[in-house]
Amino acid sequence: MRCAAIVVLFLVASCGAATPIAEVESPAATVPEDQATAIRGVVEQYRQAYEVGSAEALYSLYAKDLDVVVVYQGQVHQGWTAVQAFLASKLEGASQVRMAIKDLSIREFGPKGAILTATRTSSIGDGSVSVTETGTLSLVLQNREGKWMVVAEHFSYPTGRS
């Protein structure tokens, strides 16, 4: 009886091996070059706003509604009031900010949306203490009346814990 069960199991497993391999899906649609250029401009404004320590410059890049969300290292900031307070706190007391964004990938996300991922390295300091973070940045952008706005942001980095 045990031998029959093993034979049945073997037959079922071998039938699965004969199943044709599914075709690989085509890559996600890329954003047209003119839109990609505009989106890269938003990313550069984002980087520069941090480097000059301007919360107001950062504010201009975000949708100011109840749906905007920033997730930073597992903490969710939902709605413009919470996002604005979080952005202000990131720059509060900072006298030295450096940020590099590399390995940028932009993909279309619906007819008026795009999602981008990149590696972000930032160093924020107050003159005596500096905190450096290197991790993955994801931004969801929506084209609102010809202007690309951040509607969602996620940044996380490895903490060294397993």
Side-chain angles (χ1 to χ4, degrees):
M1 183 74 163
R2 186 177 207 188
C3 195
I6 292 173
V7 170
V8 170
L9 191 59
F10 177 73
L11 286 173
V12 170
S14 64
C15 288
T19 304
I21 298 173
E23 289 186 34
V24 175
E25 291 185 33
S26 60
T30 56
V31 175
E33 190 54 40
D34 61 329
Q35 292 180 15
T37 299
I39 291 167
R40 283 190 291 273
V42 171
V43 173
E44 180 58 16
Q45 289 175 329
Y46 173 94
R47 187 192 68 74
Q48 288 179 7
Y50 266 104
E51 284 208 346
V52 298
S54 174
E56 290 77 21
L58 271 174
Y59 299 162
S60 71
L61 303 174
Y62 289 81
K64 292 166 188 67
D65 57 36
L66 296 175
D67 296 322
V68 66
V69 63
V70 171
V71 179
Y72 176 81
Q73 201 63 6
Q75 293 183 315
V76 178
H77 309 278
Q78 177 82 44
W80 176 241
T81 302
V83 168
Q84 184 179 25
F86 170 74
L87 295 172
S89 73
K90 285 297 290 178
L91 293 172
E92 187 177 346
S95 60
Q96 301 168 325
V97 180
R98 294 288 172 255
M99 182 175 288
I101 297 177
K102 61 181 184 175
D103 306 323
L104 186 64
S105 173
I106 304 170
R107 292 287 177 207
E108 185 176 64
F109 194 66
K112 291 189 172 195
I115 185 165
L116 65 91
T117 57
T119 300
R120 181 182 106 176
T121 300
S122 58
S123 179
I124 300 176
D126 63 5
S128 61
V129 176
S130 183
V131 176
T132 300
E133 304 165 334
T134 298
T136 302
L137 172 68
S138 298
L139 295 174
V140 178
L141 301 166
Q142 185 178 48
N143 192 323
R144 295 187 173 180
E145 299 176 11
K147 184 176 179 185
W148 288 98
M149 305 295 293
V150 176
V151 295
E153 175 181 348
H154 179 269
F155 179 71
S156 62
Y157 53 89
T159 61
R161 292 180 277 178
S162 48

